[in-house]
Amino acid sequence: MKLRRAFLGAAGALFLLWGIYTAVFGISQFRQELAQQDWRVSMATVTAVEQRWESSGGRHSSSKKVYDVTYEYAVNEESYTGELVGDATPREVGDSFDVKVDPAHPEVSTAILEPQPDALVVNLLSGAAFCLIGVWLIFFPPGRKQREEHSLPGR
């Protein structure tokens, strides 16, 4: 019983840490997107595309097709190269799309054109769910009531 409780406590701690990480990552990503609002928009042209399958992992995993896209864009008549890794949008060599470019560092670009509050909400909700599961596993592990009922003195 003590080994099971220790295992559930360790699993709970991992869930709790993952929940905190997910929420902090989501907040950090959203703050970064907010800081990019004054970046200028530039037209990018796809120069290379690699298609691959990405698995969600696990025994009943599903795979989806993703694209690693290399693109070029120009700032002040100077050419720069960027990359989208694991993009879900199919693109062909020669396609054009908008990117945002850091005015202070034009070699830095992103295809995220505006802050995505929906992604923040998903990260916060999933982080909270992982934290709740972690707290439940640590403080209220399954089977706790049965053990407490068996330990009551007989009548």
Side-chain angles (χ1 to χ4, degrees):
M1 290 292 180
K2 286 187 179 193
L3 182 61
R4 178 183 165 151
R5 179 142 173 99
F7 174 76
L8 290 175
L14 289 175
F15 270 90
L16 191 60
L17 289 173
W18 186 253
I20 292 168
Y21 170 79
T22 302
V24 169
F25 174 80
I27 292 167
S28 171
Q29 187 70 27
F30 188 71
R31 289 183 70 189
Q32 184 178 5
E33 291 168 4
L34 287 174
Q36 296 168 349
Q37 284 185 309
D38 62 337
W39 288 15
R40 77 174 81 168
V41 176
S42 181
M43 185 62 66
T45 303
V46 176
T47 58
V49 178
E50 272 189 51
Q51 173 184 310
R52 62 185 168 85
W53 290 93
E54 196 170 78
S55 173
S56 62
R59 188 169 35 160
H60 301 289
S61 69
S62 60
S63 295
K64 64 179 180 178
K65 196 183 294 187
V66 296
Y67 305 89
D68 296 336
V69 179
T70 304
Y71 59 89
E72 285 186 354
Y73 59 97
V75 176
N76 298 329
E77 297 183 25
E78 192 165 337
S79 183
Y80 296 93
T81 301
E83 189 174 35
L84 301 173
V85 177
D87 190 28
T89 306
R91 302 182 197 268
E92 305 267 336
V93 172
D95 285 354
S96 295
F97 63 98
D98 288 336
V99 294
K100 278 186 131 177
V101 180
D102 184 347
H105 305 280
E107 69 278 3
V108 178
S109 65
T110 180
I112 300 172
L113 300 178
E114 57 188 45
Q116 300 175 337
D118 53 335
L120 173 64
V121 169
V122 167
N123 280 314
L124 291 177
L125 289 176
S126 59
F130 277 110
C131 286
L132 286 173
I133 292 169
V135 168
W136 177 67
L137 286 173
I138 293 169
F139 296 108
F140 309 103
R144 178 178 173 191
K145 281 193 174 183
Q146 290 90 3
R147 287 194 305 272
E148 288 176 356
E149 288 173 1
H150 292 305
S151 64
L152 292 176
R155 295 181 186 193

